[in-house]
Amino acid sequence: MESIQAIKQRFGIIGNNAALNRAIEKALQVSPTDISVLVTGESGVGKESIPKIIHSLSHRKHGKYIAVNCGAIPEGTIDSELFGHEKGAFTGATQTRNGYFEVADNGTIFLDEVGELPLTTQVRLLRVLENGEFIKVGSSKVQKTNVRIVAATNVNMFEAIKKGKFREDLYYRLSTVEILLPPLRARKDDIHLLFRKFASDFAMKYKMPSIRLDESATEMLTKYRWNGNIRQLRNVAEQISVLEERRSITPDTLRQYLPNTSGNLPAVIENEKSESDFSSEREILYKVLFDMKSDLNDLKKLTMELMQNGVSQKVKEDNESLIQKIYGEDENDEVFHEEETTAPVKLLSISPEVTVVSEADKYHFAEDVEEEETLSLHDKELELIKKSLERNKGKRKAAAKELGISERTLYRKIKQFDL
Ligand SMILES: Nc1ncnc2c1ncn2[C@@H]1O[C@H](COP(=O)(O)OP(=O)(O)OP(=O)(O)O)[C@@H](O)[C@H]1O
Ligand SMILES: [Mg+2]
């Protein structure tokens, strides 16, 4: 059996924390079996590497490994994605399609964000787990499959069960073995180690000297709560690497990249799962909402300008930075010169000219209506991007081409939506 150290090296896992080592050890122990595993832990703690370890050390390693983000698939299509459908099962089902459970026969399926599965899908999943049976949507034929399931969640499953959103029997079936990944704030010794690793990766990527934290900044880094965990730490390391000219980082500089640190409260380490598991989600949502509100205000300002002055070169020039902020970089950017598809996806290529307010509507742009539209626009955009990335197996270039945007814009969107 490979050592924990070797596994960490193979899967790029940094850290020496005892709870992290225990999680990897558990993954090693269960990998030769077909036991269902539930990986739990806050958002951004690194849950995605556990099913990969389990699959690649199992006898299924030559079979397929399919990762499904249950939260990203619309409720109406998830059964068909997972279990397939028969031709004519619903409008648009022009051909029979095999679902992931059929395709991954003798392999492993990773059900990420399993807490998001609709109840009807949970019933189907329970059946596969119990006896390997499933039925395609629109079919009556029972099929068999031999799939190992590893699931992950960052939500409190007991809460979900209590609220009737998750079946208790399925929870116990999925979590025969539970692997808990600790939050970063409970891995204090690993924080600076990870930061140095990310700083050196970004120094290589952007071809500049690596940033270094002075002693007090290191202390601040270690005491911070890191509600977004390793994902947030990585983002902070990237932002500082790119934006700061001085390579030696002081607490004053670092503070600017750490939200809500005015009180600089040291992190409280919870030993048990508690309500606080959800605080990070809440904060992330608040941030997204604030960013959207700010974009909305910018849009309003721009719309007003356009209504008053029409679309002219002057308006474009006067509002250049605003337009860039809202709509992103010019798609014909000289540095990233890429072929755009002939029919770009509309949602992603809104130009200011699209924001036309008819004369009759001039005084009826009620705030709540605009907000609702902006929200659904974001949702649709996010969904399009996720789907495209999944279809193209995470290959950004292909996804960008499919979406009709430049790779750089896609990169920005991925960052924006934290995909
Ligand atoms: N120990 C680690 N060493 C290096 N990088 C890590 C480690 N753990 C996580 N990461 C990186 O942190 C990021 C977040 O990890 P991951 O996507 O696995 O989080 P997650 O637990 O699945 O979060 P979510 O619940 O939001 O999906 C990834 O870029 C991953 O590569
Ligand atoms: Mg994940």
Side-chain angles (χ1 to χ4, degrees), residues 214-255:
D214 70 19
E215 209 173 302
S216 321
T218 307
E219 200 185 325
M220 180 184 275
L221 188 89
T222 315
K223 282 186 174 165
Y224 186 65
R225 283 194 63 85
W226 298 112
N227 285 335
N229 293 294
I230 300 171
R231 184 180 290 122
Q232 186 188 7
L233 181 71
R234 194 168 178 273
N235 285 350
V236 167
E238 181 166 26
Q239 285 177 41
I240 302 179
S241 300
V242 173
L243 299 175
E244 290 301 322
E245 259 174 45
R246 281 179 56 110
R247 302 276 95 187
S248 174
I249 307 300
T250 62
D252 280 346
T253 309
L254 178 62
R255 189 176 289 112

mmCIF file of all heavy atoms in Angstrom, residues 214-255:
data_model
loop_
_atom_site.group_PDB
_atom_site.id
_atom_site.type_symbol
_atom_site.label_atom_id
_atom_site.label_comp_id
_atom_site.label_asym_id
_atom_site.label_seq_id
_atom_site.Cartn_x
_atom_site.Cartn_y
_atom_site.Cartn_z
ATOM 1 N N ASP A 214 6.148 39.013 5.881
ATOM 2 C CA ASP A 214 7.041 39.234 7.022
ATOM 3 C C ASP A 214 6.431 38.543 8.246
ATOM 4 O O ASP A 214 5.337 37.965 8.170
ATOM 5 C CB ASP A 214 7.319 40.735 7.236
ATOM 6 C CG ASP A 214 6.100 41.502 7.745
ATOM 7 O OD1 ASP A 214 5.167 40.861 8.263
ATOM 8 O OD2 ASP A 214 6.091 42.742 7.614
ATOM 9 N N GLU A 215 7.154 38.624 9.358
ATOM 10 C CA GLU A 215 6.747 37.822 10.522
ATOM 11 C C GLU A 215 5.329 38.159 11.000
ATOM 12 O O GLU A 215 4.520 37.266 11.245
ATOM 13 C CB GLU A 215 7.747 38.072 11.651
ATOM 14 C CG GLU A 215 7.880 36.870 12.575
ATOM 15 C CD GLU A 215 9.006 37.110 13.567
ATOM 16 O OE1 GLU A 215 10.155 37.343 13.140
ATOM 17 O OE2 GLU A 215 8.697 37.099 14.750
ATOM 18 N N SER A 216 5.033 39.480 11.079
ATOM 19 C CA SER A 216 3.708 39.849 11.586
ATOM 20 C C SER A 216 2.619 39.472 10.592
ATOM 21 O O SER A 216 1.512 39.097 10.994
ATOM 22 C CB SER A 216 3.614 41.355 11.837
ATOM 23 O OG SER A 216 4.787 41.838 12.371
ATOM 24 N N ALA A 217 2.929 39.581 9.309
ATOM 25 C CA ALA A 217 1.923 39.193 8.305
ATOM 26 C C ALA A 217 1.667 37.688 8.387
ATOM 27 O O ALA A 217 0.528 37.231 8.239
ATOM 28 C CB ALA A 217 2.393 39.584 6.913
ATOM 29 N N THR A 218 2.707 36.925 8.641
ATOM 30 C CA THR A 218 2.536 35.470 8.780
ATOM 31 C C THR A 218 1.614 35.165 9.952
ATOM 32 O O THR A 218 0.735 34.303 9.874
ATOM 33 C CB THR A 218 3.905 34.778 9.009
ATOM 34 O OG1 THR A 218 4.780 35.187 7.973
ATOM 35 C CG2 THR A 218 3.787 33.270 9.026
ATOM 36 N N GLU A 219 1.804 35.935 11.031
ATOM 37 C CA GLU A 219 0.956 35.719 12.209
ATOM 38 C C GLU A 219 -0.507 36.044 11.880
ATOM 39 O O GLU A 219 -1.421 35.307 12.242
ATOM 40 C CB GLU A 219 1.460 36.611 13.340
ATOM 41 C CG GLU A 219 0.982 36.133 14.690
ATOM 42 C CD GLU A 219 1.389 37.098 15.783
ATOM 43 O OE1 GLU A 219 2.485 37.693 15.680
ATOM 44 O OE2 GLU A 219 0.589 37.275 16.719
ATOM 45 N N MET A 220 -0.691 37.144 11.137
ATOM 46 C CA MET A 220 -2.042 37.539 10.756
ATOM 47 C C MET A 220 -2.683 36.458 9.877
ATOM 48 O O MET A 220 -3.847 36.097 10.051
ATOM 49 C CB MET A 220 -2.002 38.865 9.986
ATOM 50 C CG MET A 220 -3.363 39.342 9.554
ATOM 51 S SD MET A 220 -3.257 40.827 8.562
ATOM 52 C CE MET A 220 -3.190 42.048 9.803
ATOM 53 N N LEU A 221 -1.889 35.927 8.964
ATOM 54 C CA LEU A 221 -2.377 34.888 8.049
ATOM 55 C C LEU A 221 -2.841 33.667 8.848
ATOM 56 O O LEU A 221 -3.883 33.075 8.576
ATOM 57 C CB LEU A 221 -1.240 34.488 7.093
ATOM 58 C CG LEU A 221 -1.603 33.557 5.958
ATOM 59 C CD1 LEU A 221 -2.042 34.392 4.750
ATOM 60 C CD2 LEU A 221 -0.429 32.680 5.546
ATOM 61 N N THR A 222 -2.049 33.311 9.846
ATOM 62 C CA THR A 222 -2.342 32.106 10.623
ATOM 63 C C THR A 222 -3.561 32.293 11.514
ATOM 64 O O THR A 222 -4.290 31.345 11.786
ATOM 65 C CB THR A 222 -1.110 31.741 11.490
ATOM 66 O OG1 THR A 222 0.040 31.846 10.668
ATOM 67 C CG2 THR A 222 -1.220 30.352 12.041
ATOM 68 N N LYS A 223 -3.789 33.533 11.961
ATOM 69 C CA LYS A 223 -4.907 33.760 12.885
ATOM 70 C C LYS A 223 -6.231 33.979 12.159
ATOM 71 O O LYS A 223 -7.281 33.965 12.776
ATOM 72 C CB LYS A 223 -4.624 34.998 13.744
ATOM 73 C CG LYS A 223 -3.660 34.697 14.865
ATOM 74 C CD LYS A 223 -3.541 35.906 15.744
ATOM 75 C CE LYS A 223 -2.699 35.626 16.965
ATOM 76 N NZ LYS A 223 -2.291 36.871 17.614
ATOM 77 N N TYR A 224 -6.171 34.222 10.880
ATOM 78 C CA TYR A 224 -7.387 34.546 10.122
ATOM 79 C C TYR A 224 -8.330 33.329 10.092
ATOM 80 O O TYR A 224 -7.895 32.189 10.187
ATOM 81 C CB TYR A 224 -6.994 34.979 8.707
ATOM 82 C CG TYR A 224 -8.145 35.478 7.884
ATOM 83 C CD1 TYR A 224 -8.818 36.636 8.242
ATOM 84 C CD2 TYR A 224 -8.565 34.784 6.754
ATOM 85 C CE1 TYR A 224 -9.890 37.091 7.495
ATOM 86 C CE2 TYR A 224 -9.630 35.233 5.999
ATOM 87 C CZ TYR A 224 -10.287 36.386 6.366
ATOM 88 O OH TYR A 224 -11.347 36.815 5.632
ATOM 89 N N ARG A 225 -9.622 33.596 9.916
ATOM 90 C CA ARG A 225 -10.607 32.495 9.994
ATOM 91 C C ARG A 225 -10.662 31.590 8.757
ATOM 92 O O ARG A 225 -11.061 30.456 8.829
ATOM 93 C CB ARG A 225 -12.019 33.058 10.200
ATOM 94 C CG ARG A 225 -12.306 33.518 11.596
ATOM 95 C CD ARG A 225 -13.801 33.717 11.763
ATOM 96 N NE ARG A 225 -14.518 32.459 11.579
ATOM 97 C CZ ARG A 225 -14.707 31.585 12.548
ATOM 98 N NH1 ARG A 225 -14.240 31.805 13.734
ATOM 99 N NH2 ARG A 225 -15.373 30.482 12.311
ATOM 100 N N TRP A 226 -10.357 32.121 7.605
ATOM 101 C CA TRP A 226 -10.376 31.353 6.350
ATOM 102 C C TRP A 226 -11.691 30.593 6.157
ATOM 103 O O TRP A 226 -11.710 29.377 6.007
ATOM 104 C CB TRP A 226 -9.173 30.384 6.265
ATOM 105 C CG TRP A 226 -7.891 31.126 6.279
ATOM 106 C CD1 TRP A 226 -6.958 31.137 7.260
ATOM 107 C CD2 TRP A 226 -7.400 32.023 5.265
ATOM 108 N NE1 TRP A 226 -5.930 31.982 6.939
ATOM 109 C CE2 TRP A 226 -6.175 32.533 5.718
ATOM 110 C CE3 TRP A 226 -7.897 32.448 4.019
ATOM 111 C CZ2 TRP A 226 -5.428 33.450 4.985
ATOM 112 C CZ3 TRP A 226 -7.152 33.351 3.287
ATOM 113 C CH2 TRP A 226 -5.937 33.833 3.777
ATOM 114 N N ASN A 227 -12.773 31.356 6.148
ATOM 115 C CA ASN A 227 -14.075 30.712 5.949
ATOM 116 C C ASN A 227 -14.179 30.019 4.590
ATOM 117 O O ASN A 227 -14.923 29.069 4.436
ATOM 118 C CB ASN A 227 -15.195 31.742 6.095
ATOM 119 C CG ASN A 227 -15.426 32.101 7.544
ATOM 120 O OD1 ASN A 227 -15.119 31.294 8.423
ATOM 121 N ND2 ASN A 227 -15.911 33.288 7.804
ATOM 122 N N GLY A 228 -13.445 30.530 3.608
ATOM 123 C CA GLY A 228 -13.454 29.875 2.291
ATOM 124 C C GLY A 228 -12.336 28.843 2.171
ATOM 125 O O GLY A 228 -12.057 28.326 1.084
ATOM 126 N N ASN A 229 -11.652 28.597 3.283
ATOM 127 C CA ASN A 229 -10.627 27.552 3.377
ATOM 128 C C ASN A 229 -9.515 27.660 2.323
ATOM 129 O O ASN A 229 -9.118 28.768 1.981
ATOM 130 C CB ASN A 229 -11.294 26.177 3.408
ATOM 131 C CG ASN A 229 -12.088 26.015 4.693
ATOM 132 O OD1 ASN A 229 -11.496 25.980 5.763
ATOM 133 N ND2 ASN A 229 -13.408 25.988 4.606
ATOM 134 N N ILE A 230 -9.076 26.504 1.812
ATOM 135 C CA ILE A 230 -7.881 26.526 0.959
ATOM 136 C C ILE A 230 -8.148 27.272 -0.355
ATOM 137 O O ILE A 230 -7.278 27.937 -0.895
ATOM 138 C CB ILE A 230 -7.395 25.084 0.702
ATOM 139 C CG1 ILE A 230 -7.078 24.460 2.060
ATOM 140 C CG2 ILE A 230 -6.167 25.061 -0.190
ATOM 141 C CD1 ILE A 230 -6.803 23.011 2.056
ATOM 142 N N ARG A 231 -9.390 27.179 -0.821
ATOM 143 C CA ARG A 231 -9.725 27.902 -2.057
ATOM 144 C C ARG A 231 -9.513 29.404 -1.852
ATOM 145 O O ARG A 231 -8.940 30.084 -2.699
ATOM 146 C CB ARG A 231 -11.170 27.614 -2.445
ATOM 147 C CG ARG A 231 -11.564 28.253 -3.775
ATOM 148 C CD ARG A 231 -12.988 27.975 -4.155
ATOM 149 N NE ARG A 231 -13.201 26.589 -4.521
ATOM 150 C CZ ARG A 231 -14.070 25.790 -3.928
ATOM 151 N NH1 ARG A 231 -14.805 26.246 -2.940
ATOM 152 N NH2 ARG A 231 -14.224 24.545 -4.314
ATOM 153 N N GLN A 232 -9.925 29.911 -0.693
ATOM 154 C CA GLN A 232 -9.771 31.337 -0.405
ATOM 155 C C GLN A 232 -8.291 31.691 -0.229
ATOM 156 O O GLN A 232 -7.829 32.709 -0.747
ATOM 157 C CB GLN A 232 -10.556 31.698 0.874
ATOM 158 C CG GLN A 232 -10.562 33.179 1.160
ATOM 159 C CD GLN A 232 -11.157 33.525 2.521
ATOM 160 O OE1 GLN A 232 -11.469 32.641 3.326
ATOM 161 N NE2 GLN A 232 -11.302 34.809 2.786
ATOM 162 N N LEU A 233 -7.555 30.828 0.448
ATOM 163 C CA LEU A 233 -6.127 31.078 0.666
ATOM 164 C C LEU A 233 -5.395 31.172 -0.684
ATOM 165 O O LEU A 233 -4.560 32.041 -0.911
ATOM 166 C CB LEU A 233 -5.532 29.944 1.512
ATOM 167 C CG LEU A 233 -4.050 30.055 1.852
ATOM 168 C CD1 LEU A 233 -3.819 31.158 2.865
ATOM 169 C CD2 LEU A 233 -3.510 28.744 2.423
ATOM 170 N N ARG A 234 -5.761 30.271 -1.566
ATOM 171 C CA ARG A 234 -5.145 30.239 -2.892
ATOM 172 C C ARG A 234 -5.470 31.519 -3.665
ATOM 173 O O ARG A 234 -4.603 32.120 -4.293
ATOM 174 C CB ARG A 234 -5.690 29.015 -3.633
ATOM 175 C CG ARG A 234 -4.950 28.635 -4.854
ATOM 176 C CD ARG A 234 -5.432 27.254 -5.295
ATOM 177 N NE ARG A 234 -4.757 26.874 -6.523
ATOM 178 C CZ ARG A 234 -5.205 27.198 -7.718
ATOM 179 N NH1 ARG A 234 -6.322 27.873 -7.830
ATOM 180 N NH2 ARG A 234 -4.533 26.845 -8.792
ATOM 181 N N ASN A 235 -6.731 31.942 -3.582
ATOM 182 C CA ASN A 235 -7.143 33.173 -4.263
ATOM 183 C C ASN A 235 -6.391 34.382 -3.723
ATOM 184 O O ASN A 235 -5.963 35.249 -4.492
ATOM 185 C CB ASN A 235 -8.645 33.413 -4.104
ATOM 186 C CG ASN A 235 -9.450 32.491 -4.994
ATOM 187 O OD1 ASN A 235 -8.885 31.822 -5.848
ATOM 188 N ND2 ASN A 235 -10.744 32.426 -4.789
ATOM 189 N N VAL A 236 -6.242 34.428 -2.393
ATOM 190 C CA VAL A 236 -5.532 35.552 -1.783
ATOM 191 C C VAL A 236 -4.072 35.546 -2.254
ATOM 192 O O VAL A 236 -3.523 36.586 -2.636
ATOM 193 C CB VAL A 236 -5.636 35.481 -0.235
ATOM 194 C CG1 VAL A 236 -4.662 36.433 0.425
ATOM 195 C CG2 VAL A 236 -7.059 35.795 0.206
ATOM 196 N N ALA A 237 -3.457 34.368 -2.260
ATOM 197 C CA ALA A 237 -2.056 34.277 -2.703
ATOM 198 C C ALA A 237 -1.938 34.743 -4.158
ATOM 199 O O ALA A 237 -0.987 35.455 -4.524
ATOM 200 C CB ALA A 237 -1.550 32.840 -2.562
ATOM 201 N N GLU A 238 -2.914 34.380 -4.980
ATOM 202 C CA GLU A 238 -2.857 34.776 -6.389
ATOM 203 C C GLU A 238 -3.038 36.283 -6.545
ATOM 204 O O GLU A 238 -2.278 36.950 -7.261
ATOM 205 C CB GLU A 238 -3.919 34.044 -7.209
ATOM 206 C CG GLU A 238 -3.865 34.420 -8.689
ATOM 207 C CD GLU A 238 -4.655 33.489 -9.596
ATOM 208 O OE1 GLU A 238 -5.610 32.865 -9.124
ATOM 209 O OE2 GLU A 238 -4.286 33.399 -10.782
ATOM 210 N N GLN A 239 -4.035 36.823 -5.833
ATOM 211 C CA GLN A 239 -4.286 38.268 -5.950
ATOM 212 C C GLN A 239 -3.053 39.066 -5.540
ATOM 213 O O GLN A 239 -2.633 39.974 -6.249
ATOM 214 C CB GLN A 239 -5.445 38.666 -5.041
ATOM 215 C CG GLN A 239 -6.800 38.248 -5.567
ATOM 216 C CD GLN A 239 -7.884 38.612 -4.555
ATOM 217 O OE1 GLN A 239 -7.863 39.668 -3.966
ATOM 218 N NE2 GLN A 239 -8.821 37.716 -4.344
ATOM 219 N N ILE A 240 -2.476 38.713 -4.379
ATOM 220 C CA ILE A 240 -1.310 39.474 -3.908
ATOM 221 C C ILE A 240 -0.150 39.310 -4.894
ATOM 222 O O ILE A 240 0.535 40.277 -5.239
ATOM 223 C CB ILE A 240 -0.879 39.027 -2.492
ATOM 224 C CG1 ILE A 240 -2.042 39.208 -1.520
ATOM 225 C CG2 ILE A 240 0.326 39.805 -2.017
ATOM 226 C CD1 ILE A 240 -1.762 38.783 -0.091
ATOM 227 N N SER A 241 0.052 38.092 -5.390
ATOM 228 C CA SER A 241 1.165 37.847 -6.320
ATOM 229 C C SER A 241 1.042 38.739 -7.546
ATOM 230 O O SER A 241 2.028 39.244 -8.066
ATOM 231 C CB SER A 241 1.172 36.391 -6.793
ATOM 232 O OG SER A 241 1.303 35.543 -5.712
ATOM 233 N N VAL A 242 -0.188 38.913 -8.018
ATOM 234 C CA VAL A 242 -0.397 39.659 -9.255
ATOM 235 C C VAL A 242 -0.430 41.173 -9.012
ATOM 236 O O VAL A 242 0.130 41.942 -9.787
ATOM 237 C CB VAL A 242 -1.719 39.205 -9.936
ATOM 238 C CG1 VAL A 242 -2.044 40.069 -11.129
ATOM 239 C CG2 VAL A 242 -1.629 37.754 -10.354
ATOM 240 N N LEU A 243 -1.079 41.569 -7.922
ATOM 241 C CA LEU A 243 -1.353 42.998 -7.762
ATOM 242 C C LEU A 243 -0.281 43.785 -7.013
ATOM 243 O O LEU A 243 -0.149 44.987 -7.218
ATOM 244 C CB LEU A 243 -2.700 43.197 -7.054
ATOM 245 C CG LEU A 243 -3.920 42.620 -7.795
ATOM 246 C CD1 LEU A 243 -5.169 42.770 -6.948
ATOM 247 C CD2 LEU A 243 -4.120 43.331 -9.131
ATOM 248 N N GLU A 244 0.470 43.131 -6.138
ATOM 249 C CA GLU A 244 1.427 43.888 -5.328
ATOM 250 C C GLU A 244 2.792 43.968 -6.008
ATOM 251 O O GLU A 244 3.346 42.947 -6.414
ATOM 252 C CB GLU A 244 1.587 43.241 -3.941
ATOM 253 C CG GLU A 244 0.374 43.391 -3.061
ATOM 254 C CD GLU A 244 -0.024 44.836 -2.794
ATOM 255 O OE1 GLU A 244 0.876 45.684 -2.618
ATOM 256 O OE2 GLU A 244 -1.236 45.125 -2.778
ATOM 257 N N GLU A 245 3.287 45.197 -6.106
ATOM 258 C CA GLU A 245 4.619 45.334 -6.709
ATOM 259 C C GLU A 245 5.702 44.895 -5.738
ATOM 260 O O GLU A 245 6.629 44.190 -6.089
ATOM 261 C CB GLU A 245 4.851 46.783 -7.120
ATOM 262 C CG GLU A 245 4.630 46.967 -8.610
ATOM 263 C CD GLU A 245 4.700 48.400 -9.001
ATOM 264 O OE1 GLU A 245 5.621 49.091 -8.533
ATOM 265 O OE2 GLU A 245 3.824 48.817 -9.773
ATOM 266 N N ARG A 246 5.548 45.360 -4.474
ATOM 267 C CA ARG A 246 6.524 44.969 -3.456
ATOM 268 C C ARG A 246 6.329 43.491 -3.132
ATOM 269 O O ARG A 246 5.215 43.052 -2.878
ATOM 270 C CB ARG A 246 6.321 45.794 -2.183
ATOM 271 C CG ARG A 246 6.916 47.188 -2.265
ATOM 272 C CD ARG A 246 6.615 47.867 -0.951
ATOM 273 N NE ARG A 246 7.156 47.037 0.140
ATOM 274 C CZ ARG A 246 8.203 47.380 0.871
ATOM 275 N NH1 ARG A 246 8.786 48.525 0.671
ATOM 276 N NH2 ARG A 246 8.650 46.589 1.825
ATOM 277 N N ARG A 247 7.411 42.764 -3.141
ATOM 278 C CA ARG A 247 7.300 41.321 -2.934
ATOM 279 C C ARG A 247 7.310 40.925 -1.457
ATOM 280 O O ARG A 247 7.004 39.797 -1.113
ATOM 281 C CB ARG A 247 8.424 40.587 -3.677
ATOM 282 C CG ARG A 247 8.445 40.842 -5.166
ATOM 283 C CD ARG A 247 7.497 39.929 -5.902
ATOM 284 N NE ARG A 247 6.175 40.489 -6.164
ATOM 285 C CZ ARG A 247 5.158 39.808 -6.683
ATOM 286 N NH1 ARG A 247 5.306 38.557 -7.006
ATOM 287 N NH2 ARG A 247 4.015 40.374 -6.884
ATOM 288 N N SER A 248 7.721 41.896 -0.619
ATOM 289 C CA SER A 248 7.691 41.602 0.814
ATOM 290 C C SER A 248 6.378 42.155 1.376
ATOM 291 O O SER A 248 6.093 43.342 1.269
ATOM 292 C CB SER A 248 8.890 42.256 1.488
ATOM 293 O OG SER A 248 8.773 42.072 2.867
ATOM 294 N N ILE A 249 5.576 41.287 1.938
ATOM 295 C CA ILE A 249 4.212 41.668 2.307
ATOM 296 C C ILE A 249 4.099 41.930 3.810
ATOM 297 O O ILE A 249 4.450 41.079 4.634
ATOM 298 C CB ILE A 249 3.210 40.561 1.888
ATOM 299 C CG1 ILE A 249 3.388 40.210 0.402
ATOM 300 C CG2 ILE A 249 1.771 40.957 2.196
ATOM 301 C CD1 ILE A 249 3.167 41.353 -0.566
ATOM 302 N N THR A 250 3.584 43.105 4.134
ATOM 303 C CA THR A 250 3.401 43.503 5.530
ATOM 304 C C THR A 250 1.947 43.247 5.938
ATOM 305 O O THR A 250 1.088 43.066 5.069
ATOM 306 C CB THR A 250 3.695 45.016 5.686
ATOM 307 O OG1 THR A 250 2.742 45.709 4.874
ATOM 308 C CG2 THR A 250 5.100 45.375 5.249
ATOM 309 N N PRO A 251 1.661 43.304 7.246
ATOM 310 C CA PRO A 251 0.261 43.107 7.672
ATOM 311 C C PRO A 251 -0.690 44.110 7.031
ATOM 312 O O PRO A 251 -1.808 43.764 6.686
ATOM 313 C CB PRO A 251 0.319 43.308 9.198
ATOM 314 C CG PRO A 251 1.726 43.023 9.568
ATOM 315 C CD PRO A 251 2.577 43.412 8.415
ATOM 316 N N ASP A 252 -0.225 45.365 6.857
ATOM 317 C CA ASP A 252 -1.113 46.376 6.264
ATOM 318 C C ASP A 252 -1.539 45.978 4.865
ATOM 319 O O ASP A 252 -2.687 46.174 4.462
ATOM 320 C CB ASP A 252 -0.405 47.739 6.205
ATOM 321 C CG ASP A 252 -0.450 48.405 7.565
ATOM 322 O OD1 ASP A 252 -1.244 47.930 8.402
ATOM 323 O OD2 ASP A 252 0.319 49.363 7.788
ATOM 324 N N THR A 253 -0.606 45.448 4.103
ATOM 325 C CA THR A 253 -0.948 45.012 2.740
ATOM 326 C C THR A 253 -1.848 43.797 2.802
ATOM 327 O O THR A 253 -2.881 43.742 2.131
ATOM 328 C CB THR A 253 0.344 44.655 1.959
ATOM 329 O OG1 THR A 253 1.234 45.748 2.094
ATOM 330 C CG2 THR A 253 0.066 44.364 0.511
ATOM 331 N N LEU A 254 -1.465 42.832 3.616
ATOM 332 C CA LEU A 254 -2.231 41.584 3.682
ATOM 333 C C LEU A 254 -3.676 41.851 4.086
ATOM 334 O O LEU A 254 -4.611 41.268 3.528
ATOM 335 C CB LEU A 254 -1.558 40.621 4.677
ATOM 336 C CG LEU A 254 -2.262 39.283 4.899
ATOM 337 C CD1 LEU A 254 -2.327 38.472 3.603
ATOM 338 C CD2 LEU A 254 -1.572 38.468 5.983
ATOM 339 N N ARG A 255 -3.851 42.777 5.043
ATOM 340 C CA ARG A 255 -5.191 43.071 5.567
ATOM 341 C C ARG A 255 -6.167 43.431 4.447
ATOM 342 O O ARG A 255 -7.342 43.078 4.476
ATOM 343 C CB ARG A 255 -5.108 44.202 6.583
ATOM 344 C CG ARG A 255 -6.409 44.419 7.332
ATOM 345 C CD ARG A 255 -6.319 45.468 8.414
ATOM 346 N NE ARG A 255 -5.538 45.042 9.565
ATOM 347 C CZ ARG A 255 -4.358 45.564 9.909
ATOM 348 N NH1 ARG A 255 -3.820 46.520 9.192
ATOM 349 N NH2 ARG A 255 -3.715 45.124 10.958
#
